[in-house]
Amino acid sequence: MLEGRSGITFTEDEYADAWNYVPHPGHRIPLPIPELLGLLGLLADLDSTPAVHTTKDFPIVLAAGQRRAFTANTIFRDNAWRKRDSQGALRVSPHDAEQLGLSDGAPARITTSRGTAQALVEIDDRLQPGHAALPNGFGLDLPTEDGGTERTGVALNTLTDRAWRDPIAGTPWHKHVPARIEPLPA
């Protein structure tokens, strides 16, 4: 193997033999996936499924993981590369800012059924009323020069609930998290 120019042959199969590797009766690939078929029964319940998942206690839809110009996955362990929004601001619509008493640059508390976090507010007219967004790529405890740690931004997993998730993939519905937002003293 080490002396050969292009590796070694470890098996030889003819095309006609390929179907012998399909272990199902008649060498057929079964298309029904039992986990998905069970969900088809849920389609009959669409008429009774709520169209709105916010409540009086959690009236805002939070996108917990918005992609922004200087956000990334947590592979970046040094916050200095971020050119702006270094703490990951909570973006809200002007309408919601007015209704909730939020000011641009002021701190706010975000509460979901899973947890609570704090962030600085950024009023953004690109958001629709009833919607807010926190960026992805934050919430790490980064080392400080004095040997301690400092958390940058919100750790979004503290706000998302694994019970509020896709039934097949198990992925939290982090782009639709019912939340409450309140102003904090500056």
Side-chain angles (χ1 to χ4, degrees), residues 3-183:
E3 294 175 13
R5 183 167 177 222
S6 60
I8 61 169
T9 301
F10 64 90
T11 184
E12 276 190 37
D13 289 307
E14 297 296 324
Y15 182 76
D17 295 331
W19 289 109
N20 292 330
Y21 293 109
V22 178
H24 305 288
H27 301 295
R28 302 238 180 214
I29 297 173
L31 294 181
I33 300 170
E35 296 85 356
L36 293 178
L37 288 176
L39 288 177
L40 289 177
L42 297 177
L43 294 178
D45 298 333
L46 284 179
D47 288 342
S48 62
T49 300
V52 176
H53 294 284
T54 55
T55 65
K56 182 178 153 231
D57 291 332
F58 302 110
I60 302 291
V61 173
L62 173 67
Q66 182 185 43
R67 180 72 174 105
R68 297 185 184 169
F70 287 96
T71 63
N73 63 28
T74 56
I75 194 170
F76 293 101
R77 305 283 187 215
D78 178 3
N79 205 33
W81 71 276
R82 297 184 199 277
K83 303 299 181 210
R84 58 181 182 264
D85 191 23
S86 64
Q87 290 298 313
L90 169 69
R91 290 183 177 167
V92 297
S93 72
H95 174 268
D96 290 333
E98 183 179 333
Q99 295 295 311
L100 299 170
L102 302 170
S103 301
D104 203 47
R109 177 183 299 117
I110 307 104
T111 305
T112 69
S113 64
R114 171 83 171 25
T116 301
Q118 294 181 18
L120 297 179
V121 171
E122 180 182 317
I123 299 173
D124 188 335
D125 62 3
R126 294 173 293 179
L127 270 82
Q128 295 293 313
H131 292 82
L134 285 167
N136 66 329
F138 285 85
L140 293 177
D141 293 329
L142 300 174
T144 58
E145 289 183 16
D146 63 1
T149 61
E150 177 183 28
R151 178 160 290 177
T152 58
V154 175
L156 297 176
N157 288 342
T158 63
L159 298 176
T160 58
D161 189 342
R162 70 183 182 111
W164 183 243
R165 64 188 178 110
D166 179 88
I168 297 293
T171 306
W173 284 324
H174 57 279
K175 299 299 185 191
H176 194 288
V177 180
R180 177 175 59 251
I181 301 171
E182 304 161 294

